[in-house]
Amino acid sequence: MKAMILAAGKGTRVRPLTYDLPKPMIPVLGKPVMAYLVEHLALHGVADIMVNVSYLHKKIQDYFEDGHRFGVNIGYSFEGDIVDGQVVPHAVGSAGGMRKIQDFSGFFDETTIVLCGDAIIDLDITRAVKEHKEKGALASLVTMQVPMDKVSGYGVVVTNNEGRIISFQEKPSQLEARSNWASTGIYIFEPEVLDLIPSGSEFDIGSDLFPLLVQKGLPFYAIQHPFNWIDIGVVTDYWLVMQQMMQGFFPSMPIPGKQVKPGVWVGLNVHIDWEHTQIEGPVYIGAGSRIDKNTRIVGPTWINSGCHIQRDSTVIRSILFDYTRIAQGYEIVERIVCGEYCVDRNGRMVHMDDDSCDIIWTDAREKVVYPQNYAYARL
């Protein structure tokens, strides 16, 4: 068995997290989403993995390299071109990307599991592939049952009594939905599927290939195994997932670092004024971070590496990306601070220079003189 990870998209629905990171590189408990997928594939004996890349492709390739530290072999297929000396990403669709690889090398010469690079799963891949083969399927789609009042956020799969897929509904209303089994973006293909994808054109798995399989009456089945599926569809999902993980909803994904107090984990080289600081877990404080006196941190809160919380500040149920400095005397509640942007739990985004912004943060790598007072910074 081989694997394909789809990682070429721009992740527009999770901006601003993806202004500087491709979506598969969004950190979850300090590790890129895609790293969990690679590790899970290795656990099930999948050694050869292809990844299609486009937007900010180097960040994925520089992190995963050839896959040797994960115990697998990883190859890449870049989708784009060079225009006027500049690399210009241009994704060719999930199925088009697979056909590009097949035309180049014939990589897909055995059963292949295809995964979206922006979700974390614990699917029993071995069992799913076994069912796929037992049914004699040419293609299989792993589905998950979702509440009927949530179907409008998913592509819905309609099957017959044998589990054969007969139609799809893309984000139907609750009244129109003929099923509440959602596509999880996990597929199993036999090599013959690649012959259905036209060469040199944009072609999508969900909107183009799957309807074609149904139209031709080919053996195309849904797999309905229970498993955990953590999908970061929009930026508000990311905030909620991190809150749940830090509260222990997913025991197989422990908080990294050293637990120095009940509910408080830290990385290396962290400076905290313990005597004059109030920390209520669960809280993670990343390597090289500094927490000044008279600060209050309430969990679930994740503070990435190299951050600085200045004195008299409060951070409540929030996520701070690398090198975030929260200015003296400010309170941040239920927000994600990512580079120059801040997003609240409802998805409202502000830039650090916006007049409407009610907090001040800077890059912690910039030198600061103590004591620092930001009280008049916006005057």
Side-chain angles (χ1 to χ4, degrees):
M1 178 170 50
K2 293 183 175 180
M4 172 79 186
I5 296 178
L6 305 173
K10 291 185 177 180
T12 55
R13 292 196 302 154
V14 287
R15 289 175 177 168
L17 307 185
T18 51
Y19 280 143
D20 295 316
L21 283 176
K23 195 174 178 185
M25 291 299 294
I26 291 176
V28 173
L29 297 186
K31 189 163 61 176
V33 170
M34 192 173 125
Y36 291 98
L37 287 175
V38 172
E39 291 170 350
H40 192 62
L41 288 167
L43 183 66
H44 285 270
V46 181
D48 296 328
I49 303 170
M50 280 299 302
V51 183
N52 69 328
V53 293
S54 186
Y55 177 68
L56 298 176
H57 63 101
K58 275 187 61 63
K59 297 204 172 183
I60 295 175
Q61 293 176 243
D62 289 349
Y63 184 90
F64 291 95
E65 298 180 320
D66 64 1
H68 70 275
R69 65 191 178 94
F70 296 91
V72 298
N73 305 307
I74 298 179
Y76 303 91
S77 175
F78 174 72
E79 298 176 10
D81 208 342
I82 294 181
V83 179
D84 297 329
Q86 299 294 318
V87 175
V88 179
H90 178 70
V92 295
S94 49
M98 293 187 70
R99 183 60 196 240
K100 180 174 184 281
I101 293 167
Q102 188 73 346
D103 289 343
F104 182 77
S105 67
F107 175 79
F108 303 107
D109 56 359
E110 58 184 275
T111 303
T112 299
I113 183 161
V114 183
L115 308 162
C116 292
D118 56 6
I120 300 172
I121 63 170
D122 63 0
L123 173 72
D124 187 337
I125 292 173
T126 304
R127 180 186 169 203
V129 171
K130 182 174 182 289
E131 179 177 323
H132 162 85
K133 290 182 176 294
E134 287 174 345
K135 289 181 174 179
L138 191 66
S140 293
L141 166 59
V142 178
T143 60
M144 175 171 285
Q145 201 166 25
V146 298
M148 284 301 296
D149 61 351
K150 303 290 185 182
V151 291
S152 60
Y154 298 92
V156 170
V157 176
V158 183
T159 64
N160 63 17
N161 293 335
E162 288 76 42
R164 191 161 180 153
I165 296 174
I166 56 175
S167 68
F168 297 88
Q169 291 181 287
E170 183 60 28
K171 298 180 179 178
S173 68
Q174 185 174 346
L175 290 176
E176 296 172 334
R178 297 170 54 203
S179 162
N180 64 335
W181 287 93
S183 169
T184 62
I186 305 171
Y187 322 120
I188 304 171
F189 292 155
E190 293 302 316
E192 292 81 4
V193 170
L194 277 296
D195 297 333
L196 300 171
I197 304 170
S199 296
S201 62
E202 292 189 24
F203 209 71
D204 184 70
I205 290 175
S207 58
D208 297 312
L209 178 60
F210 286 168
L212 185 61
L213 288 167
V214 172
Q215 177 190 332
K216 289 181 173 292
L218 296 171
F220 181 25
Y221 288 88
I223 292 176
Q224 300 175 344
H225 294 179
F227 70 103
N228 288 311
W229 174 42
I230 304 169
D231 178 38
I232 303 171
V234 294
V235 68
T236 51
D237 292 341
Y238 178 66
W239 181 86
L240 181 59
V241 163
M242 287 291 287
Q243 293 286 300
Q244 292 175 337
M245 285 185 167
M246 295 200 69
Q247 292 177 83
F249 282 39
F250 306 98
S252 62
M253 300 176 68
I255 298 176
K258 180 180 180 181
Q259 188 170 12
V260 293
K261 289 186 176 184
V264 180
W265 291 261
V266 300
L268 295 175
N269 191 34
V270 171
H271 177 87
I272 302 173
D273 188 330
W274 292 106
E275 185 178 354
H276 303 100
T277 298
Q278 181 183 350
I279 302 179
E280 305 170 23
V283 169
Y284 173 82
I285 301 170
S289 292
R290 179 186 182 96
I291 312 298
D292 288 348
K293 68 188 299 184
N294 297 331
T295 55
R296 179 173 175 240
I297 303 173
V298 178
T301 286
W302 181 276
I303 298 173
N304 269 289
S305 299
C307 291
H308 181 190
I309 313 301
Q310 290 198 297
R311 63 186 301 167
D312 304 316
S313 298
T314 301
V315 179
I316 299 174
R317 296 183 294 279
S318 295
I319 303 165
L320 309 184
F321 273 46
D322 289 344
Y323 301 113
T324 298
R325 174 183 288 127
I326 302 300
Q328 177 179 331
Y330 280 86
E331 179 179 81
I332 174 170
V333 181
E334 296 186 343
R335 302 196 191 190
I336 304 167
V337 181
C338 173
E340 296 181 352
Y341 294 87
C342 177
V343 190
D344 67 21
R345 62 174 298 179
N346 298 312
R348 176 179 172 269
M349 177 175 68
V350 293
H351 188 269
M352 62 195 316
D353 292 333
D354 289 351
D355 291 338
S356 60
C357 187
D358 58 350
I359 62 171
I360 293 179
W361 74 96
T362 58
D363 190 321
R365 290 168 290 193
E366 296 176 354
K367 187 175 181 180
V368 61
V369 178
Y370 292 94
Q372 181 75 19
N373 189 337
Y374 284 82
Y376 302 100
R378 294 197 179 278
L379 297 180

CSV table of all heavy atoms in Angstrom, one decimal, residues 303-330:
chain,number,residue,atom,x,y,z
A,303,ILE,N,1.0,28.7,24.6
A,303,ILE,CA,1.9,29.8,24.3
A,303,ILE,C,3.1,29.1,23.6
A,303,ILE,O,3.8,28.3,24.2
A,303,ILE,CB,2.4,30.5,25.6
A,303,ILE,CG1,1.2,31.2,26.3
A,303,ILE,CG2,3.5,31.5,25.3
A,303,ILE,CD1,1.5,31.8,27.7
A,304,ASN,N,3.3,29.5,22.4
A,304,ASN,CA,4.4,28.9,21.6
A,304,ASN,C,5.7,29.4,22.0
A,304,ASN,O,5.9,30.2,22.9
A,304,ASN,CB,4.1,29.1,20.1
A,304,ASN,CG,3.3,28.0,19.4
A,304,ASN,OD1,3.7,26.9,19.2
A,304,ASN,ND2,2.0,28.3,19.1
A,305,SER,N,6.7,28.9,21.2
A,305,SER,CA,8.1,29.2,21.6
A,305,SER,C,8.5,30.7,21.4
A,305,SER,O,7.9,31.4,20.5
A,305,SER,CB,9.1,28.4,20.7
A,305,SER,OG,8.8,27.0,20.9
A,306,GLY,N,9.4,31.2,22.3
A,306,GLY,CA,9.9,32.5,22.1
A,306,GLY,C,8.9,33.6,22.4
A,306,GLY,O,9.2,34.8,22.0
A,307,CYS,N,7.9,33.3,23.1
A,307,CYS,CA,6.9,34.4,23.4
A,307,CYS,C,7.3,35.2,24.7
A,307,CYS,O,8.1,34.8,25.5
A,307,CYS,CB,5.5,33.8,23.6
A,307,CYS,SG,4.8,33.1,22.1
A,308,HIS,N,6.6,36.3,24.9
A,308,HIS,CA,6.9,37.2,26.0
A,308,HIS,C,5.6,37.8,26.5
A,308,HIS,O,4.9,38.5,25.8
A,308,HIS,CB,7.9,38.3,25.6
A,308,HIS,CG,8.3,39.2,26.7
A,308,HIS,ND1,9.0,40.3,26.5
A,308,HIS,CD2,8.1,39.1,28.1
A,308,HIS,CE1,9.2,41.0,27.7
A,308,HIS,NE2,8.6,40.2,28.6
A,309,ILE,N,5.2,37.5,27.7
A,309,ILE,CA,4.0,38.1,28.3
A,309,ILE,C,4.5,39.1,29.3
A,309,ILE,O,5.1,38.8,30.3
A,309,ILE,CB,3.1,37.1,29.1
A,309,ILE,CG1,2.9,35.8,28.2
A,309,ILE,CG2,1.8,37.7,29.5
A,309,ILE,CD1,2.2,36.1,26.9
A,310,GLN,N,4.3,40.4,29.0
A,310,GLN,CA,4.9,41.5,29.9
A,310,GLN,C,4.0,41.7,31.1
A,310,GLN,O,2.9,41.2,31.2
A,310,GLN,CB,4.9,42.8,29.1
A,310,GLN,CG,6.0,42.7,28.0
A,310,GLN,CD,6.4,44.1,27.5
A,310,GLN,OE1,5.6,44.8,27.0
A,310,GLN,NE2,7.6,44.5,27.7
A,311,ARG,N,4.6,42.3,32.1
A,311,ARG,CA,4.0,42.4,33.4
A,311,ARG,C,2.6,43.1,33.4
A,311,ARG,O,2.3,43.8,32.5
A,311,ARG,CB,4.9,43.3,34.3
A,311,ARG,CG,5.2,44.7,33.9
A,311,ARG,CD,6.2,45.4,34.8
A,311,ARG,NE,5.8,45.4,36.2
A,311,ARG,CZ,6.5,45.7,37.2
A,311,ARG,NH1,7.8,46.0,37.0
A,311,ARG,NH2,6.1,45.7,38.4
A,312,ASP,N,1.8,42.6,34.4
A,312,ASP,CA,0.5,43.1,34.5
A,312,ASP,C,-0.5,42.8,33.4
A,312,ASP,O,-1.5,43.4,33.2
A,312,ASP,CB,0.4,44.7,34.7
A,312,ASP,CG,1.3,45.1,35.9
A,312,ASP,OD1,1.3,44.5,36.9
A,312,ASP,OD2,2.1,46.1,35.7
A,313,SER,N,-0.1,41.8,32.6
A,313,SER,CA,-1.0,41.3,31.5
A,313,SER,C,-1.7,40.1,31.9
A,313,SER,O,-1.3,39.3,32.8
A,313,SER,CB,-0.1,41.1,30.2
A,313,SER,OG,0.5,42.3,29.8
A,314,THR,N,-2.8,39.8,31.1
A,314,THR,CA,-3.6,38.6,31.4
A,314,THR,C,-3.9,37.9,30.0
A,314,THR,O,-4.2,38.5,29.0
A,314,THR,CB,-5.0,39.0,32.0
A,314,THR,OG1,-4.7,39.6,33.2
A,314,THR,CG2,-5.8,37.7,32.2
A,315,VAL,N,-3.7,36.6,30.0
A,315,VAL,CA,-4.0,35.7,28.9
A,315,VAL,C,-4.9,34.6,29.3
A,315,VAL,O,-4.6,33.8,30.2
A,315,VAL,CB,-2.7,35.1,28.3
A,315,VAL,CG1,-3.0,34.3,27.0
A,315,VAL,CG2,-1.7,36.2,27.9
A,316,ILE,N,-6.1,34.6,28.7
A,316,ILE,CA,-7.2,33.7,29.1
A,316,ILE,C,-7.6,32.8,27.8
A,316,ILE,O,-8.0,33.4,26.8
A,316,ILE,CB,-8.4,34.4,29.7
A,316,ILE,CG1,-8.0,35.2,30.9
A,316,ILE,CG2,-9.5,33.4,30.0
A,316,ILE,CD1,-9.1,36.0,31.5
A,317,ARG,N,-7.5,31.5,27.9
A,317,ARG,CA,-8.0,30.6,26.9
A,317,ARG,C,-7.6,31.0,25.5
A,317,ARG,O,-8.5,31.2,24.6
A,317,ARG,CB,-9.5,30.4,27.1
A,317,ARG,CG,-10.0,29.8,28.4
A,317,ARG,CD,-11.5,29.5,28.4
A,317,ARG,NE,-12.2,30.8,28.4
A,317,ARG,CZ,-12.4,31.5,29.5
A,317,ARG,NH1,-11.9,31.1,30.7
A,317,ARG,NH2,-13.1,32.6,29.5
A,318,SER,N,-6.4,31.2,25.3
A,318,SER,CA,-5.9,31.8,24.0
A,318,SER,C,-4.7,30.9,23.5
A,318,SER,O,-4.2,30.1,24.1
A,318,SER,CB,-5.5,33.2,24.2
A,318,SER,OG,-6.6,34.0,24.5
A,319,ILE,N,-4.4,31.2,22.2
A,319,ILE,CA,-3.3,30.6,21.5
A,319,ILE,C,-2.4,31.7,21.0
A,319,ILE,O,-2.8,32.6,20.2
A,319,ILE,CB,-3.8,29.7,20.4
A,319,ILE,CG1,-4.8,28.7,20.9
A,319,ILE,CG2,-2.6,29.0,19.7
A,319,ILE,CD1,-5.6,28.0,19.8
A,320,LEU,N,-1.1,31.6,21.4
A,320,LEU,CA,-0.1,32.6,20.9
A,320,LEU,C,0.9,31.9,20.0
A,320,LEU,O,1.5,30.9,20.5
A,320,LEU,CB,0.6,33.3,22.0
A,320,LEU,CG,-0.3,33.9,23.2
A,320,LEU,CD1,0.6,34.6,24.2
A,320,LEU,CD2,-1.3,34.9,22.6
A,321,PHE,N,1.0,32.3,18.8
A,321,PHE,CA,2.0,31.7,17.9
A,321,PHE,C,3.4,32.2,18.3
A,321,PHE,O,3.6,33.0,19.1
A,321,PHE,CB,1.7,32.0,16.4
A,321,PHE,CG,0.7,31.1,15.8
A,321,PHE,CD1,-0.4,30.7,16.4
A,321,PHE,CD2,1.0,30.6,14.5
A,321,PHE,CE1,-1.3,29.8,15.8
A,321,PHE,CE2,0.1,29.7,13.9
A,321,PHE,CZ,-1.1,29.3,14.5
A,322,ASP,N,4.4,31.6,17.7
A,322,ASP,CA,5.8,31.8,18.0
A,322,ASP,C,6.1,33.3,18.0
A,322,ASP,O,5.6,34.1,17.2
A,322,ASP,CB,6.8,31.2,17.0
A,322,ASP,CG,6.8,29.7,17.1
A,322,ASP,OD1,6.4,29.2,18.1
A,322,ASP,OD2,7.3,29.0,16.1
A,323,TYR,N,6.9,33.7,19.0
A,323,TYR,CA,7.5,35.1,19.1
A,323,TYR,C,6.4,36.2,19.2
A,323,TYR,O,6.5,37.2,18.6
A,323,TYR,CB,8.4,35.4,17.9
A,323,TYR,CG,9.6,34.4,17.8
A,323,TYR,CD1,9.7,33.5,16.7
A,323,TYR,CD2,10.6,34.4,18.8
A,323,TYR,CE1,10.7,32.6,16.7
A,323,TYR,CE2,11.6,33.5,18.7
A,323,TYR,CZ,11.7,32.6,17.6
A,323,TYR,OH,12.7,31.7,17.6
A,324,THR,N,5.4,35.9,20.0
A,324,THR,CA,4.4,36.9,20.3
A,324,THR,C,4.7,37.6,21.6
A,324,THR,O,4.9,36.9,22.6
A,324,THR,CB,3.0,36.2,20.4
A,324,THR,OG1,2.6,35.7,19.1
A,324,THR,CG2,1.9,37.3,20.8
A,325,ARG,N,4.7,38.9,21.6
A,325,ARG,CA,4.9,39.6,22.9
A,325,ARG,C,3.6,40.4,23.2
A,325,ARG,O,3.1,41.2,22.4
A,325,ARG,CB,6.0,40.7,22.8
A,325,ARG,CG,6.1,41.6,24.0
A,325,ARG,CD,7.2,42.6,23.9
A,325,ARG,NE,8.5,42.0,24.0
A,325,ARG,CZ,9.5,42.1,23.1
A,325,ARG,NH1,9.3,42.9,22.1
A,325,ARG,NH2,10.7,41.5,23.3
A,326,ILE,N,2.9,40.0,24.3
A,326,ILE,CA,1.7,40.8,24.7
A,326,ILE,C,2.2,41.9,25.6
A,326,ILE,O,2.9,41.8,26.6
A,326,ILE,CB,0.8,39.8,25.5
A,326,ILE,CG1,0.4,38.6,24.7
A,326,ILE,CG2,-0.4,40.6,26.0
A,326,ILE,CD1,-0.3,39.0,23.4
A,327,ALA,N,1.7,43.1,25.2
A,327,ALA,CA,2.2,44.3,25.8
A,327,ALA,C,1.8,44.5,27.3
A,327,ALA,O,0.7,43.9,27.7
A,327,ALA,CB,1.8,45.6,25.0
A,328,GLN,N,2.5,45.3,28.0
A,328,GLN,CA,2.3,45.4,29.4
A,328,GLN,C,0.8,46.0,29.7
A,328,GLN,O,0.4,46.9,29.1
A,328,GLN,CB,3.3,46.4,30.0
A,328,GLN,CG,3.1,46.8,31.5
A,328,GLN,CD,4.2,47.8,31.9
A,328,GLN,OE1,5.3,47.8,31.4
A,328,GLN,NE2,3.8,48.6,32.9
A,329,GLY,N,0.2,45.3,30.6
A,329,GLY,CA,-1.1,45.7,31.1
A,329,GLY,C,-2.3,45.4,30.3
A,329,GLY,O,-3.4,45.9,30.5
A,330,TYR,N,-2.2,44.5,29.2
A,330,TYR,CA,-3.3,44.2,28.4
A,330,TYR,C,-3.9,42.8,28.7
A,330,TYR,O,-3.2,42.0,29.2
A,330,TYR,CB,-2.9,44.3,26.9
A,330,TYR,CG,-2.8,45.7,26.4
A,330,TYR,CD1,-1.7,46.5,26.5
A,330,TYR,CD2,-4.0,46.3,25.8
A,330,TYR,CE1,-1.7,47.8,26.1
A,330,TYR,CE2,-3.9,47.6,25.3
A,330,TYR,CZ,-2.8,48.3,25.5
A,330,TYR,OH,-2.8,49.6,25.0
